[in-house]
Amino acid sequence: MDDRIEETNQIATLMQKVYKCLLLLAFLSFTLVTKAQIDTTGPVTSIDPTLIDIFNSKTPKKYKVNSIKVSGNKHFDQALLITIANISIGDEIVIPGGDQFSKAILNLWKQNYFSDVEIYVTKVTGDKIDLEIVVEERPRLSQFEFKGIKKSEAEELQGKIGWVPGRVITENMKRSGIEAIQKYYFDKAYRNVTARIESKPDPSIENSELLIVYIDKGEKVKIEQIDFTGTTVDPVKLKKQLKDTKEKSRFTLRPIKDTGAYSFQQYLRENGFLTYTKTKRFLEPYVKIRPFGNAKYNETKFGDDLEKLITYYNALGYRDAVLIDTSVVPNEKGNFNINIKLSEGSRYYFGNISWRGNTKYSDSVLSMVLGINKGDVYNLETLNRKLGKELTPEGGDISGLYMDDGYLFFRAEPVETAVYNDTIDYEIRIIEGPQATFRNITITGNEKTKDYVIRRELRTIPGEKFSRSDLMRSVRELGQLNFFNPEKINPNVIPNAEDGTVDIVWQLEEKSSDQLELSAGWGGGIGLTGTVGVSFNNFSLKNIFKKEAWQPLPTGDGQKLSLRIQSNGRAFRSYNFSFTEPWLGGKKRNAFTVSLYDTKFSNAYDPVLGRYTSTAASNSFIKTSGVSFSLGKQLKWPDDFFSLSYGVNYTRYKLKNYSIDPVNLKGFDNGVSNNLSFRLALARNSSGPSAIFPTNGSNFLMSLQFTPPYSLIDPNRVNKANPYELVEYHKWKYTGEWFVPLTKATNEDRNKQLVLKAAVKAGFIGRYNKKLGISPFERFQVGDAGLSNNFALLGFDIVAHRGYPVYENSDPRVNPDQQAAQQYFTIFNKYILELRYPFSLNPSSTIYGLAFFEAANGWYSMKDYNPFRLRRSVGVGMRFFLPMFGLLGFDYGIGLDRYNNGTKLKDAARFTFMLGFEPE
């Protein structure tokens, strides 16, 4: 027992000695630190002993702060730094043993603005001390640059790394910059990028540095190969579902076996590429092909693609399909191989589908609308779409069937009733509810447009039964006005189940629809021509004399007023005016338009004087003056997308020493011609929802323009000196356009919708009397961008044909049967295919790109007509719709029939500019 007590005492004595040593070391360390905080502005021997004594004192003492001074600061206010340090005059500081100094230093250090912080006691007077906070600011960024990358990449990185000149340089700033650089290139498939930052003092700015970032991107890492296991579905189809995860593009020719051309074609014809395996097995000895695509690997997008892959399996009937495993493995080339392991499970089919709760429609009607039969591949997404779980403009589903008859509160719930083998039976349980009627229709957001202008376009009328198709049609009609942002037209449906009514709040956003044209052009043999034009598309004529309505113009009644002036001075001038009232009388959609125009084109150049003169302009010219009236009305049959318009037009042509056609109309260069014509047009336009970028529907127009048959009434007219004093003809035109969405728009991004436009156009102008030639007026020109030229004075339709100039219609390479002297036709055909993709549907700047294929041609007589001899072209283009300037277009077209016989590509291609919509 005594031994144990003695051992315990020895341990206690040892612990006391260790404790004393630790206290001594702490005291020495504190003494060294506090000595470093003593003012040492002079030699060490001159230090006030009092300053040392206060830190060497064995008894802690409280001192009051008498004054605080800050030095070394260049960019920061002294008071601010004292506040951050959290030491104030009058504060009590315990020396030695207090922690106020260490906390103050830590507070300043945490700001990341200083590379060194020290606190000095500069004077001790009794129990008062004077303090000096000395800081050394970190250098600031003067500028930075990137080395080893392209200029365009450097410009993009400048906005991504977050560095701003004048910012304090810290290690964290450098580290975050390098991380931003690595992420930027990581998303571009550079997985081995390295970045090194070198700093240099900037002599031009005190305490500032220039940062140079050296970047080595390394090799781009791509997806070499994607393999699937555990699947029976064609791998090519599975890879198509991986929208953002594609294999590296590859087209590698291999040694071709000597099988002979005939056996190659014969094999293809007999086997027809019926299966992926057979196609791959046959083609591999000849060529190895990989689909083109972006082969970058993005982990987030890959995860999204895997979800799409399972959704695709579900659509094929594999509702139990699951993802077992995925692996992304680097290969010997430094690229990635992706292995995806799946478990398909059994493939299911729809069995019996029964209905319950339906009283409005019979089971057979509902089954017919549903369109799903027993034995069809199971697809829950298709079932929900057919039931109308998602609101679509197309309709044609069960929900649409009920809602178009007022059943707003309709619901249909599919319930699995039996699953046996590979078959699933469903019961569709319907709750029809009461029929709802429209009650309150409210309009918001229309700052300029009057309420009545909007209400007359709406199909949602108070007191009538609710109809989903009427709701969608109203959205289209408002979009066609072009007064509102089509992306923001929102009918907020507020159902009132208590009384079976529904309120609609139309939420709109006005956009500018007026247009201003200010342009100048050079050409046409007349030099510089200026144009000034304005179009007010939401004008108010009745308020034109009200001073308060001019803000800056009277607007809001939906009328259209256009004014346009063009002039070259002596050689050319043109005045145009038009006014349209879309609802003449205010009760029905009867569009009334009146227009006036006057144009003069002169041969104003005097070859003797070598300049343009007014004398020459008055001796040789063609002058066109006219007025037209038209009235269009909406039809109810066959449906209300149809409209019928009537028009009458009078044009007077005056020629003085001006030849229109020196070959066929020789001698007809002086005199007056009068063109009194009537026009009938039947149209059907269901395209929409936007008039600028329609994504669905169609547009058809058939028109007939004709004059009285003067030569049949008076046969002697054909023998007169000027047989065209009274112009006669009958002119037929047809336009058909279809818009088909190829991709589905999402709620997150409605812009991403690829649209196919297909169009057919044709025209023919004929005569009443075979003894009289076809009218030299109102013919067709085919070529270029469709912009008006001097032939528009004769009433010509300028038909755009990208990739070909107007005056090459007689090129023997293209039209070997045409007469070289003629440049205008009596017949034309045109066919168009366009792929369109919108980059912006913002109402302030609608922008979309397109790729096109066109085929068109014109003929001078029915004898020459050959619908298979067409001039073909391909190309790309852009369209910009700016509210103040209208639609602007730029196209680069390659005339395929010009690109032959050694012609260079640049000689077969044309860049064209388009202004406005192409005339129909």
Side-chain angles (χ1 to χ4, degrees):
M1 174 68 79
D2 294 337
D3 293 339
R4 290 183 179 180
I5 293 174
E6 184 179 357
E7 184 179 351
T8 303
N9 292 333
Q10 290 176 353
I11 293 173
T13 303
L14 180 63
M15 292 298 295
Q16 288 177 356
K17 291 181 179 179
V18 171
Y19 179 71
K20 290 179 180 180
C21 290
L22 291 174
L23 287 177
L24 179 62
L25 288 173
F27 176 75
L28 291 174
S29 300
F30 180 77
T31 302
L32 291 173
V33 171
T34 54
K35 282 184 177 180
Q37 295 172 333
I38 298 173
D39 186 2
T40 57
T41 55
V44 176
T45 55
S46 66
I47 299 177
D48 186 349
T50 307
L51 300 180
I52 298 178
D53 291 342
I54 66 172
F55 287 101
N56 291 337
S57 174
K58 295 181 179 180
T59 305
K61 182 181 179 181
K62 293 182 179 180
Y63 295 88
K64 285 188 177 181
V65 178
N66 182 55
S67 67
I68 304 174
K69 176 184 176 183
V70 179
S71 61
N73 56 313
K74 298 180 177 61
H75 296 89
F76 297 99
D77 181 67
Q78 174 174 302
L80 174 64
L81 295 183
I82 293 174
T83 302
I84 294 174
N86 198 25
I87 296 180
S88 303
I89 295 175
D91 287 354
E92 291 186 342
I93 306 291
V94 178
I95 301 177
D99 62 352
Q100 290 93 334
F101 288 156
S102 59
K103 287 182 177 180
I105 291 174
L106 183 61
N107 289 339
L108 291 169
W109 186 261
K110 286 192 299 185
Q111 306 306 312
N112 270 332
Y113 294 142
F114 310 104
S115 59
D116 190 20
V117 179
E118 295 177 345
I119 299 179
Y120 293 92
V121 177
T122 59
K123 186 177 180 181
V124 178
T125 306
D127 63 347
K128 296 181 180 181
I129 58 174
D130 295 338
L131 303 179
E132 181 177 356
I133 302 174
V134 180
V135 297
E136 183 178 335
E137 295 186 359
R138 294 182 186 271
R140 292 178 176 263
L141 179 65
S142 61
Q143 56 181 323
F144 60 93
E145 58 180 306
F146 301 97
K147 299 287 188 181
I149 60 175
K150 298 178 181 177
K151 182 180 179 181
S152 59
E153 294 175 345
E155 291 174 350
E156 288 186 35
L157 280 175
Q158 285 180 353
K160 292 183 179 294
I161 61 175
W163 292 358
V164 180
R167 180 180 175 182
V168 174
I169 299 175
T170 64
E171 291 303 317
N172 182 59
M173 185 196 81
K174 294 179 180 179
R175 184 167 54 253
S176 62
I178 290 177
E179 290 174 354
I181 292 170
Q182 290 174 336
K183 183 181 183 304
Y184 172 78
Y185 283 107
F186 194 85
D187 292 339
K188 292 181 176 292
Y190 292 97
R191 296 295 174 118
N192 302 314
V193 62
T194 59
R196 177 174 59 86
I197 300 177
E198 180 180 305
S199 59
K200 293 181 179 181
D202 189 342
S204 62
I205 305 176
E206 183 182 1
N207 194 33
S208 64
E209 290 184 353
L210 166 68
L211 296 185
I212 303 174
V213 186
Y214 295 90
I215 299 175
D216 182 6
K217 297 186 294 186
E219 294 295 327
K220 184 176 286 190
V221 178
K222 294 193 173 184
I223 301 171
E224 188 81 25
Q225 187 169 333
I226 301 175
D227 293 317
F228 298 90
T229 57
T231 177
T232 59
V233 181
D234 187 343
V236 173
K237 294 181 179 179
L238 295 180
K239 291 175 183 178
K240 288 181 179 179
Q241 309 311 312
L242 306 177
K243 303 298 183 182
D244 296 306
T245 308
K246 300 293 184 182
E247 289 179 331
K248 182 180 177 182
S249 303
R250 180 172 297 180
F251 189 95
T252 307
L253 291 176
R254 295 184 175 182
I256 297 179
K257 295 181 180 180
D258 186 16
T259 57
Y262 177 78
S263 63
F264 181 84
Q265 296 175 359
Q266 185 71 19
Y267 186 94
L268 295 180
R269 184 163 54 250
E270 292 177 356
N271 292 273
F273 292 90
L274 297 178
T275 65
Y276 170 80
T277 305
K278 186 179 291 185
T279 303
K280 181 178 179 182
R281 185 169 58 247
F282 178 74
L283 288 181
E284 269 188 339
Y286 301 91
V287 61
K288 190 171 184 180
I289 303 174
R290 292 276 172 83
F292 292 99
N294 190 347
K296 294 188 301 183
Y297 173 74
N298 184 297
E299 187 174 352
T300 302
K301 292 182 178 179
F302 180 53
D304 295 338
D305 282 343
L306 290 176
E307 293 181 6
K308 296 174 185 175
L309 190 64
I310 298 301
T311 301
Y312 176 68
Y313 262 103
N314 295 156
L316 296 178
Y318 299 96
R319 74 168 190 169
D320 299 330
V322 293
L323 184 67
I324 301 299
D325 187 30
T326 61
S327 61
V328 182
V329 183
N331 59 22
E332 65 280 0
K333 297 180 182 179
N335 294 324
F336 288 153
N337 292 338
I338 296 179
N339 299 302
I340 301 173
K341 186 176 181 181
L342 296 156
S343 174
E344 294 180 341
S346 300
R347 192 176 193 183
Y348 290 87
Y349 301 87
F350 282 110
N352 297 314
I353 298 178
S354 59
W355 303 87
R356 181 180 175 184
N358 52 305
T359 59
K360 174 68 176 179
Y361 300 102
S362 64
D363 290 1
S364 59
V365 171
L366 295 178
S367 297
M368 181 180 65
V369 175
L370 185 66
I372 297 177
N373 300 314
K374 184 176 182 179
D376 288 352
V377 173
Y378 173 80
N379 187 341
L380 184 59
E381 182 181 354
T382 299
L383 178 61
N384 287 330
R385 187 178 69 252
K386 293 286 188 178
L387 289 175
K389 294 288 187 180
E390 296 181 5
L391 186 65
T392 60
E394 296 81 11
D397 49 50
I398 301 296
S399 177
L401 180 68
Y402 272 91
M403 287 192 177
D404 283 347
D405 198 26
Y407 291 92
L408 172 63
F409 308 101
F410 164 85
R411 282 193 332 219
E413 297 297 333
V415 178
E416 291 184 10
T417 56
V419 179
Y420 48 95
N421 298 327
D422 60 354
T423 303
I424 303 175
D425 290 346
Y426 267 96
E427 180 181 77
I428 313 298
R429 297 175 183 176
I430 291 177
I431 301 175
E432 294 179 343
Q435 287 181 306
T437 57
F438 291 114
R439 188 175 64 175
N440 298 320
I441 308 298
T442 310
I443 301 170
T444 63
N446 54 319
E447 299 174 357
K448 295 190 301 181
T449 308
K450 305 289 194 305
D451 273 9
Y452 82 90
V453 174
I454 299 171
R455 290 186 184 277
R456 68 192 185 189
E457 303 292 340
L458 300 179
R459 307 297 178 94
T460 54
I461 301 173
E464 293 193 358
K465 285 192 301 185
F466 174 84
S467 171
R468 189 178 76 170
S469 61
D470 284 345
L471 198 68
M472 303 306 295
R473 179 66 182 276
S474 298
V475 172
R476 176 192 176 275
E477 298 298 339
L478 291 176
Q480 292 288 315
L481 286 176
N482 207 28
F483 301 158
F484 310 104
N485 179 359
E487 299 297 302
K488 298 293 180 68
I489 299 176
N490 178 34
N492 186 13
V493 180
I494 306 173
N496 307 300
E498 298 79 9
D499 57 3
T501 62
V502 57
D503 296 336
I504 308 292
V505 179
W506 286 96
Q507 299 171 342
L508 308 174
E509 180 182 287
E510 293 262 16
K511 71 172 186 176
S512 176
S513 58
D514 298 333
Q515 297 173 9
L516 171 66
E517 181 184 0
L518 295 172
S519 63
W522 182 277
I526 58 175
L528 184 66
T529 301
T531 301
V532 177
V534 290
S535 293
F536 306 113
N537 296 313
N538 194 2
F539 193 68
S540 176
L541 184 64
K542 69 180 182 181
N543 292 324
I544 196 170
F545 297 109
K546 295 181 180 179
K547 182 179 180 181
E548 63 276 9
W550 289 77
Q551 296 179 357
L553 290 167
T555 60
D557 284 334
Q559 299 163 339
K560 182 175 180 180
L561 177 68
S562 297
L563 299 167
R564 193 167 187 262
I565 300 174
Q566 287 182 288
S567 180
N568 167 264
R570 295 185 178 91
F572 174 75
R573 57 127 180 98
S574 177
Y575 309 118
N576 292 271
F577 164 84
S578 69
F579 173 79
T580 299
E581 167 54 70
W583 284 68
L584 184 65
K587 295 183 178 180
K588 294 184 179 180
R589 196 191 299 269
N590 297 321
F592 175 74
T593 302
V594 57
S595 61
L596 303 168
Y597 49 92
D598 183 82
T599 304
K600 182 179 179 181
F601 186 87
S602 308
N603 292 328
Y605 185 76
D606 190 326
V608 177
L609 298 177
R611 58 186 174 85
Y612 292 97
T613 66
S614 56
T615 303
S618 62
N619 288 332
S620 177
F621 63 84
I622 176 174
K623 183 178 180 183
T624 304
S625 304
V627 60
S628 66
F629 302 91
S630 66
L631 179 64
K633 59 180 298 185
Q634 186 178 21
L635 302 179
K636 296 295 184 182
W637 185 89
D639 60 42
D640 56 8
F641 286 112
F642 278 88
S643 64
L644 181 65
S645 62
Y646 325 89
V648 58
N649 176 78
Y650 171 74
T651 305
R652 183 176 185 270
Y653 305 101
K654 182 178 181 180
L655 286 76
K656 183 176 181 180
N657 298 321
Y658 190 97
S659 178
I660 299 176
D661 184 352
V663 176
N664 299 305
L665 299 175
K666 189 175 182 180
F668 180 50
D669 51 11
N670 283 281
V672 174
S673 296
N674 299 279
N675 181 1
L676 176 64
S677 63
F678 304 91
R679 187 175 185 270
L680 291 174
L682 180 65
R684 185 185 188 275
N685 185 0
S686 62
S687 62
S690 169
I692 308 300
F693 186 80
T695 57
N696 56 69
S698 58
N699 181 22
F700 299 97
L701 174 67
M702 293 182 291
S703 66
L704 168 63
Q705 184 177 350
F706 61 95
T707 64
Y710 301 111
S711 62
L712 297 182
I713 299 172
D714 182 7
N716 294 326
R717 297 197 60 82
V718 299
N719 300 319
K720 289 188 175 182
N722 180 8
Y724 300 107
E725 180 182 1
L726 295 175
V727 180
E728 61 176 62
Y729 59 87
H730 51 93
K731 185 177 183 179
W732 307 75
K733 291 196 298 182
Y734 170 79
T735 296
E737 296 176 334
W738 297 263
F739 301 94
V740 182
L742 300 182
T743 57
K744 185 178 180 181
T746 62
N747 292 329
E748 292 78 12
D749 195 341
R750 298 175 63 186
N751 286 2
K752 292 185 177 181
Q753 192 168 19
L754 186 66
V755 177
L756 173 67
K757 173 190 173 181
V760 177
K761 298 188 177 186
F764 168 75
I765 183 171
R767 55 187 175 181
Y768 298 112
N769 195 327
K770 294 183 178 180
K771 296 180 180 180
L772 188 65
I774 294 178
S775 167
F777 307 99
E778 299 290 343
R779 294 196 180 194
F780 307 104
Q781 269 195 343
V782 181
D784 224 354
L787 294 176
S788 294
N789 53 38
N790 57 323
F791 284 95
L793 276 67
L794 306 176
F796 277 34
D797 287 340
I798 314 298
V799 182
H801 189 193
R802 294 163 286 191
Y804 292 89
V806 172
Y807 299 110
E808 200 178 62
N809 295 324
S810 57
D811 190 328
R813 296 173 301 171
V814 181
N815 291 340
D817 299 334
Q818 310 297 336
Q819 301 178 31
Q822 294 179 320
Q823 300 162 351
Y824 32 85
F825 305 117
T826 63
I827 309 170
F828 85 91
N829 290 157
K830 181 179 178 181
Y831 308 92
I832 306 170
L833 283 176
E834 277 186 3
L835 277 176
R836 299 176 166 190
Y837 185 82
F839 300 110
S840 169
L841 293 181
N842 191 306
S844 62
S845 58
T846 300
I847 304 172
Y848 65 89
L850 58 88
F852 67 85
F853 169 79
E854 281 187 355
N857 211 343
W859 297 267
Y860 303 113
S861 66
M862 190 59 72
K863 182 179 65 175
D864 301 325
Y865 179 67
N866 183 350
F868 301 104
R869 186 182 295 281
L870 299 169
R871 305 186 303 168
R872 301 160 298 171
S873 64
V874 296
V876 294
M878 292 288 292
R879 296 291 182 269
F880 305 84
F881 182 82
L882 306 176
M884 286 297 292
F885 300 99
L887 187 66
L888 308 176
F890 303 89
D891 294 300
Y892 182 79
I894 301 173
L896 299 179
D897 294 285
R898 303 173 69 209
Y899 188 48
N900 53 25
N901 299 329
T903 305
K904 295 182 179 180
L905 180 63
K906 66 177 183 178
D907 297 327
R910 289 183 64 82
F911 180 82
T912 54
F913 169 74
M914 185 196 74
L915 181 63
F917 294 93
E918 186 178 352
E920 296 180 346

